[in-house]
Amino acid sequence: MIGASLSRWTVSYFAAALLALLLALALMAVGYGFPHVPVESPQTLVVVHLAVLGWLSLLMCGALFQFVPVLIARPLYSDAAPLSALVCLVSGLVALLLGFLALEGRIAATPSFLAAASLLLVMGFGLVLGNLLVTLLKGRPLPIPARFVVVGLASLALTAALGVTFALVRGGIADEEHLVELASAGIPIHAITGLGGWLGFCAMGVSYKLLAMFMLAPELDRRGSRAALYLGTCALLIGMPGAVVAVWFGGSRDLVLLAAGAPGLGAMAFYGRDILHVYRARKRRTIELNARMATLAFVSLAAAVLLAVIATLLSEMQRYSAPIAFLFAFGWLSGLGLAKLYKIVAFLTWLECYGPVLGKMPTPRVQDLVVEPRAGKWFLLYFIAVWLGAAALVFGYPGAFQAAAAAMLVATLGIVGELVRVRYLADVPKAGMPSGVRRPPMLWSAAQ
Amino acid sequence: MTTTFVDLDVRPLLAAGDEPFGKIMETVASLGPDVGLRLVAPFKPIPLLQVLASRGFDYEAREIGDGDWEVLFRPSGEHGPVGSAEEVSSERWPEPVRHLDNRDLEPPEPMVRILAEVEQMAPGEVMSALLGREPVFLFPELEKRGHRWKGGFDSGGTTYRLLVWINAKERVG
């Protein structure tokens, strides 16, 4: 069959992801983890993995189950596997967090948490990767956004492999010399491959397609987009496995990561130029809230890149790595994710609800499911809080960072409230529920 | 490969105030394998070039004086359209009776308009629609409602031409 239908479990991934984000923000707001304790402390690991694995990775997996089929106009290979994957990933995340708490001494230390986390997360991501890669194989030759996704998925496999190595070493299960070396020196490589490779590349691919689609701009497959893809891939290959080789053979890890930064910067420059082009070449002059808010996410990305360049020039990467990662993860990836969720949830709900009766009876438009001015203020609060939080990290004000995290929490609660209203069709005029139209379930999609 | 051509001069039709698109598509539909179309028109028919490219024709256009153009359409064997599962490529589709241009509509408006139009049409009729993107969510809905479809991008990859044959699924098999 040609075409794409609703991914049954995408909304479930979104719900689990948002819950993890709220938890991560709540912990940050009460001062749990960095900057009150070091970056590598178990407390910080709990917050970071809630945000990156629980929120961003589940969000991305859920989005890819829906959007890979759209990118290549072929259905997902298995519509059932995402549920098993979600169960593995969520239970793996819980086991991982328990493992971190055990490392901290909060709960009885036992190696089994980290071992169980490794097994469950490998199974979960294995199911996600297998399903998406088999789907992508059928869509060759792949359009450029799908090629970004392929590189992202390869990075996910490498990130997970490194994460499992750390878990097995720190859980006291593996003690092979090379693995122990990697566990102590590999954290920046794990972070860069995960944030930049897995989440960054997939976000780039999805944003190319989604922005062009909803703003009626030409699809990008020009020299600049391919340059961004190749330079970014080159940066990843230098970072991973390049930096791992450096760790094992006595080379300078930081020099290798710096060398990866040069093509990485080039990729960001080409990507930035492409995104500007999409906004400028759009046929739709008045754009929706999701596209307007996405611009604030891109500003955050530009700020993260600028800060990284400044930190490199000042040889102060150690000091600035936290605000850079914060801007990248919460400004760009999360900001873009929340903005796009606002459109995607409305679109999927509309399609699930009204798709079968389109043309047979009057139906509301997708935009009738949302109230943009009300949601807009939550998004603005979110981005302002992110920028203040990043500034608090740069200038070393932990109290201000907590206040910013609390504001992000309030803003995210507001956005989640809007998404729940969309799902309940709460803002659709009553005439929008003609006979034969059912309100969709909150946590999955019923229509097939 | 040598291609033979069927001639079609649409200048008299246009001079008489008629719309030549239906006649052109009728001629194209009747072409045998390896047969091309030699079209003469009083202007360069740019939209038609895209429509026929999506049906698998390469073209060669030249001005023949007085503002008139001659265009040679050759079957390229590429850009072949795809279609619903029941699609039989050798079967002749009826001429479209309705045409929609949805290229400047944001998703999912093209899908909404096509389904609204489809519900108005009689069984056996065919609709053609131009879109800016492949309507991936529309295809399963058309099949669920018992319609057949086929479609493809033009050679530039910017216009998607879709044909929908109303309630034609039971015709197959």
Side-chain angles (χ1 to χ4, degrees), chain A residues 131-286:
Chain A
N131 200 2
L132 291 174
L133 287 174
V134 173
T135 307
L136 283 162
L137 268 178
K138 292 184 179 169
R140 286 176 301 168
L142 294 176
I144 197 115
R147 283 190 264 162
F148 274 94
V149 171
V150 170
V151 177
L153 293 176
S155 305
L156 169 61
L158 296 173
T159 311
L162 276 175
V164 167
T165 308
F166 301 164
L168 295 182
V169 170
R170 298 195 71 170
I173 297 163
D175 56 1
E176 202 271 334
E177 190 191 339
H178 281 95
L179 298 185
V180 174
E181 244 178 299
L182 198 55
S184 65
I187 291 167
I189 311 172
H190 178 62
I192 288 169
T193 319
L195 277 177
W198 151 233
L199 296 164
F201 260 75
C202 289
M204 286 164 88
V206 172
S207 61
Y208 271 134
K209 179 76 182 184
L210 278 187
L211 286 170
M213 195 157 85
F214 288 124
M215 293 197 298
L216 292 180
E219 300 268 344
L220 285 175
D221 188 0
R222 47 187 210 159
R223 236 188 298 171
S225 324
R226 288 193 291 275
L229 176 68
Y230 299 143
L231 284 170
T233 309
C234 175
L236 283 172
L237 285 174
I238 297 174
M240 171 83 195
V244 174
V245 173
V247 168
W248 281 342
F249 295 97
S252 165
R253 177 198 72 188
D254 292 347
L255 207 59
V256 173
L257 290 180
L258 191 63
L265 189 63
M268 285 292 110
F270 279 113
Y271 174 63
R273 204 180 63 155
D274 272 348
I275 293 299
L276 270 180
H277 175 76
V278 169
Y279 274 91
R280 285 186 181 145
R282 70 179 196 268
K283 285 193 199 156
R284 229 188 140 190
R285 296 329 292 173
T286 319

Side-chain angles (χ1 to χ4, degrees), chain A residues 1-6 66-67 69-70 72-74 209 212-214 216-219 283-284 288 343 347-348 350-351 354-360 363 365-367 448, chain B residues 82-85 102-120 132-141 143-145 149 153 157-158 160:
Chain A
M1 189 186 85
I2 308 284
S5 43
L6 275 176
Q66 185 63 75
F67 281 94
V70 172
I72 60 171
R74 297 282 188 291
K209 179 76 182 184
M213 195 157 85
F214 288 124
L216 292 180
E219 300 268 344
K283 285 193 199 156
R284 229 188 140 190
E288 291 169 5
K343 178 74 190 183
F347 176 74
L348 296 180
W350 174 87
L351 187 64
Y354 301 106
V357 297
L358 282 179
K360 295 178 181 171
T363 46
R365 298 169 312 129
V366 179
Q367 282 305 91
Q448 283 299 298
Chain B
V82 293
S84 42
N102 288 341
R103 282 174 294 184
D104 285 341
L105 298 177
E106 66 191 276
E109 206 50 34
M111 172 176 177
V112 174
R113 298 228 179 154
I114 288 169
L115 287 174
E117 200 73 16
V118 155
E119 292 299 323
Q120 306 289 321
R133 289 189 163 72
E134 195 171 18
V136 289
F137 289 107
L138 174 65
F139 299 146
E141 198 53 46
E143 297 193 20
K144 238 188 282 173
R145 296 183 188 196
W149 62 271
F153 273 107
T158 51
Y160 191 92

Side-chain angles (χ1 to χ4, degrees), chain B residues 5-46:
Chain B
F5 290 95
V6 170
D7 288 313
L8 178 63
D9 185 345
V10 294
R11 287 175 298 182
L13 276 175
L14 284 161
D18 286 339
E19 168 54 52
F21 185 77
K23 175 75 182 162
I24 295 169
M25 297 317 282
E26 196 180 303
T27 312
V28 168
S30 68
L31 296 174
D34 298 340
V35 180
L37 171 71
R38 180 186 286 112
L39 180 79
V40 181
F43 52 83
K44 188 176 181 183
I46 292 171

